Amino acid sequence: MCLHAPVLSLSGRNTMNPFSLEGKVALVTGAGRGLGQGIARALAQAGADIVGVVNTSRSTQTRDEIETLGRQYDEIQADLSQTSSAAQVVAQASAFHGHIDILVNNSGIIKRNDSLAYTEEEWDLVVDLNLKSVFFLCQAFARQVISQGTPAKIINIASMLSYKGGFRVPSYTASKSGVKGITMSLANEWAGKGINVNAIAPGYMATDNTENLREDPVRAAEILGRIPAGRWGSADDIGGAAVFLASRASDYVHGFTIAVDGGWLAR
């Protein structure tokens, strides 16, 4: 007899591992690279099948990694800056498996410019993708899981600039402050409907969005000097927090933004 056999509840669910995502389907925006790819990989390692949303078809690496883990990977190409995409993306994602359980709002862009010179086009490009699309994807996802009658998890990707003002990125700061805010707002409305809404605020990560900063020796030294962990973060550093917020382990966590920042906010 195996003394370590998993204990099953009356529903047959494995109660030994509250972090297991077996049988779950996760919709991850921006899954083709960077933080989105790292989050998708971590969720798949925990047992979830992945539906990745990309602007262009360039997620061959993501597909290979997910399928190597023995999980299914499906892909949707969509322009998330268009509000009309939200309902279509959620409907298509749920159709792959007949249900959808986890939403990760990761897609985002940044435009750097002096505030005196910032244009309306720059503002709208950032806010439409980073904030407006996040809300409407959350809305479409919530409608879907409520119709399914199943519990669900939403993970929004915030930023250090959800807490700070930043420099030469007014629209990005506004959008990421907004992400933190709507995470709390939606949690207030949807916790009683079985939907957990939380967020992750990545610290300074070695991604495309921070390439300019990392190439600036002065700014790079300033940033690194403030990180107690002594290094820039990587996509893999976000995975544990994502699995926690996507799993039953976080069932009593609502409306909170977890900073994964190497201690930057504590300095």
Side-chain angles (χ1 to χ4, degrees), residues 2-264:
C2 175
L3 297 180
H4 301 289
V7 177
L8 298 181
S9 68
L10 293 178
S11 65
R13 185 171 64 177
N14 185 341
T15 59
M16 290 290 287
N17 181 9
F19 297 95
S20 173
L21 299 179
E22 290 286 340
K24 302 296 184 181
V25 178
L27 174 62
V28 182
T29 69
R33 58 180 180 172
L35 298 185
Q37 187 177 81
I39 290 170
R41 180 169 56 245
L43 299 180
Q45 287 171 338
D49 292 316
I50 306 298
V51 179
V53 182
V54 296
N55 249 338
T56 57
S57 184
R58 56 181 174 186
S59 57
T60 302
Q61 182 180 359
T62 305
R63 178 184 300 278
D64 290 346
E65 290 187 7
I66 301 307
E67 293 180 350
T68 296
L69 292 167
R71 311 313 311 176
Q72 182 171 328
Y73 179 81
D74 296 289
E75 186 171 279
I76 300 170
Q77 287 183 255
D79 179 3
L80 295 177
S81 67
Q82 301 299 310
T83 305
S84 59
S85 295
Q88 297 170 4
V89 165
V90 169
Q92 190 173 347
S94 60
F96 286 125
H97 296 266
H99 64 98
I100 187 173
D101 311 286
I102 301 157
L103 169 65
V104 181
N105 275 310
N106 166 75
S107 288
I109 58 172
I110 190 167
K111 294 290 183 181
R112 302 180 188 277
N113 198 355
D114 292 339
S115 292
L116 288 173
Y118 221 82
T119 67
E120 184 176 2
E121 180 183 11
E122 289 172 322
W123 180 274
D124 289 346
L125 282 171
V126 174
V127 173
D128 283 354
L129 181 59
N130 292 10
L131 181 58
K132 188 176 180 180
S133 75
V134 167
F135 172 78
F136 284 103
L137 271 170
C138 286
Q139 181 189 71
F141 176 81
R143 288 171 173 169
Q144 172 64 32
V145 297
I146 289 170
S147 72
Q148 291 173 186
T150 57
K153 307 282 187 169
I154 295 175
I155 305 169
N156 296 322
I157 301 302
S159 167
M160 291 293 96
L161 298 191
S162 301
Y163 301 92
K164 301 289 185 177
F167 184 70
R168 300 183 75 246
V169 286
S171 60
Y172 187 83
T173 300
S175 69
K176 291 301 185 178
S177 295
V179 167
K180 184 174 181 288
I182 64 169
T183 295
M184 293 185 287
S185 177
L186 296 180
N188 288 338
E189 293 192 47
W190 296 346
K193 300 181 185 298
I195 304 172
N196 294 68
V197 187
N198 293 289
I200 298 171
Y204 283 88
M205 300 283 161
T207 66
D208 291 349
N209 276 354
T210 61
E211 185 176 359
N212 289 341
L213 291 176
R214 287 181 285 116
E215 290 179 350
D216 182 332
V218 175
R219 288 288 288 129
E222 289 174 349
I223 292 167
L224 191 60
R226 183 174 166 166
I227 301 174
R231 64 176 177 85
W232 291 70
S234 71
D236 289 338
D237 290 318
I238 303 296
V243 170
F244 168 64
L245 291 177
S247 71
R248 290 188 295 114
S250 64
D251 278 355
Y252 201 56
V253 180
H254 293 274
F256 193 69
T257 297
I258 298 176
V260 182
D261 64 350
W264 189 88

